[in-house]
Amino acid sequence: NYHTLLTELHEVAGNRISEDGIIVSFDRIFKYTDVNYIKDEITEYDFQNKVLKSEKNSYNYDYLVLAMGSKPNYYGIEGLDDHAFTLWSYNDAIKIRDHIIDCFDNARQETNPDERRKLLTFVVAGAGFTGVEMIGELGIWVKKLCKEYGFQRDDVRLMVVDLLPRVLNVLSEKNSKKTHDYLEKKLKVEVLLNSNISDVDENGFMASTGYIPCKTLIWACGVCAVDDVSKLGVETIQGRRIAVDEYCRTAHEGVYAVGDISGFKGDQEIPYPAMVENAIQTAHGVGLNIACIEYVRPEHTVKTNNPSNDEISDLIESCFNRGAIGIKLLGGHYPLTSDATKRAIKIANDKHSYVAFHAGTMSYGSNIQGALEAIELADGNSIHLAHINSYCRGNIKDYMVETEEIIEA
């Protein structure tokens, strides 16, 4: 029941920090929220009726955010799944770290030079951010391991391999070259570019330069959406990612997709890369779109302080189209007439729109009178009249009297 800081996995795999440093319990994350964390496996998605089902339970929803994430993409390369390590989970990082220690320990006892060389050859496939971070951690750690197990640094071979023409290909050529030089000159890492990988077995793999014997191949060459996406029955695009619009909405009402499974394109022709920055931004954007409410402000979102019914209705529809859930009447700051306020509440309720109300109209201010008027104007319709204590500060009557009046109302 924990969240893994995936961007820090290399620090555990490279023995820089303890594994406890990359996990945060859900209890801690949600401690000061109203989030109800449930551990369950969804087996059926009924988008039409807005119901999720597991083996034993059903969950109704108004809004659903699909954020199941991704998994390593092996691109159909033979032997990868069986013989390569991945850096994609808490357990992956621990497994790599312990394996590297075992390699040095076994190499110390190995009498066959070729076998010892394989044990001390560590290859990272992928020169993107994950791959460079991983090989960088190894470059630092092996110095200590060599001293601890009695090896010279030249006894250890470190490699990073990529099909692209330069490391960190998404960065500028200047920064890419700087990284390349640091890996080769400072950390003694062999950088092999423009090379594919194939025919992976327990003793090595084929590269453009020939067969590379090794006991450690760490795969960091990209991801694809998790297998669950194929169960959803939704339109998918590149890498099984879910097709979404500019608000990360899918074709199903109230259903959004964020992170690595989202095919969010923005203004591009192809989806943005599956990177942590894009995962954060799509999640943040969807959170705002779902939880957002559009304020009603004269001369901004409506023309005057007495907007027509059509103007109010159009504003609410526009609000829905952008993924928000309702409106907020800013009576305490930008009041409407009492009549317009009452009409706005009624129209919003008829459209099943959320209505937040900072009490106040052209007739009454943001005080006990405005709060009591708000209840009267609601006329049985739903409103969210938040922080009512702010209307009971004794501006009109004694604050205890005002408090009793608002409670009774």
Side-chain angles (χ1 to χ4, degrees), residues 79-382:
L80 263 181
D81 195 9
D82 294 326
H83 302 296
F85 293 87
T86 56
L87 188 59
W88 199 244
S89 71
Y90 172 80
N91 290 328
D92 284 349
I94 296 173
K95 186 177 180 180
I96 291 172
R97 180 195 63 192
D98 293 347
H99 168 77
I100 291 170
I101 293 173
D102 287 343
C103 283
F104 272 86
D105 192 39
N106 293 332
R108 179 171 55 180
Q109 303 172 62
E110 180 59 60
T111 57
N112 185 311
D114 292 336
E115 290 299 315
R116 186 187 310 118
R117 184 66 169 166
K118 279 193 290 187
L119 286 166
L120 294 178
T121 297
F122 303 94
V123 182
V124 173
F129 290 110
T130 301
V132 168
E133 288 171 336
M134 184 67 248
I135 198 66
E137 291 289 351
L138 282 178
I140 295 171
W141 187 24
V142 295
K143 297 177 183 178
K144 181 179 178 180
L145 288 169
C146 286
K147 291 180 181 179
E148 187 174 343
Y149 288 91
F151 292 107
Q152 299 297 315
R153 174 61 183 85
D154 290 343
D155 294 329
V156 178
R157 186 183 188 189
L158 296 182
M159 293 186 67
V160 60
V161 183
D162 201 293
L163 187 62
L164 296 176
R166 54 190 179 92
V167 301
L168 299 181
N169 198 58
V170 297
L171 298 185
S172 68
E173 189 170 345
K174 177 182 177 182
N175 287 331
S176 174
K177 185 179 185 307
K178 185 176 181 180
T179 303
H180 190 137
D181 291 344
Y182 181 82
L183 290 173
E184 286 189 331
K185 297 176 182 178
K186 296 291 184 180
L187 298 182
K188 298 182 179 180
V189 174
E190 297 177 43
V191 180
L192 179 59
L193 301 173
N194 298 302
S195 174
N196 63 344
I197 286 178
S198 63
D199 302 323
V200 181
D201 59 35
E202 62 181 0
N203 292 306
F205 61 92
M206 283 296 299
S208 61
T209 55
Y211 188 76
I212 308 237
C214 70
K215 287 292 186 180
T216 307
L217 172 61
I218 301 172
W219 185 253
C221 288
V223 297
C224 61
V226 292
D227 295 337
D228 295 68
V229 170
S230 61
K231 305 175 185 177
L232 301 178
V234 297
E235 180 187 356
T236 59
I237 53 178
Q238 179 181 329
R240 286 197 312 222
R241 294 165 77 179
I242 299 172
V244 297
D245 65 11
E246 66 269 33
Y247 302 108
C248 287
R249 294 179 298 192
T250 70
H252 299 281
E253 181 183 354
V255 180
Y256 296 75
V258 301
D260 289 353
I261 65 169
S262 175
F264 179 68
K265 299 180 181 179
D267 297 328
Q268 301 186 138
E269 294 184 0
I270 60 174
Y272 283 101
M275 297 168 58
V276 64
E277 292 82 6
N278 296 324
I280 291 173
Q281 290 175 18
T282 53
H284 180 70
V286 165
L288 289 177
N289 286 337
I290 292 176
C292 175
I293 52 178
E294 180 68 274
Y295 61 85
V296 182
R297 179 179 173 183
E299 299 182 2
H300 284 260
T301 55
V302 292
K303 294 178 182 178
T304 69
N305 55 25
N306 189 31
S308 67
N309 288 355
D310 286 344
E311 194 174 1
I312 295 170
S313 180
D314 288 346
L315 174 62
I316 295 171
E317 287 299 326
S318 173
C319 166
F320 286 160
N321 289 336
R322 293 194 303 277
I325 63 173
I327 59 173
K328 182 171 184 178
L329 302 170
L330 302 173
H333 301 287
Y334 307 102
L336 303 178
T337 64
S338 296
D339 177 65
T341 300
K342 183 174 183 176
R343 288 186 286 109
I345 294 172
K346 177 67 166 60
I347 293 170
N349 273 260
D350 288 346
K351 290 180 175 292
H352 305 289
S353 167
Y354 169 84
V355 184
F357 192 2
H358 185 149
T361 65
M362 298 291 291
S363 302
Y364 296 101
S366 184
N367 50 37
I368 184 61
Q369 292 176 331
L372 293 173
E373 184 196 30
I375 297 171
E376 179 182 345
L377 294 175
D379 195 24
N381 289 301
S382 297

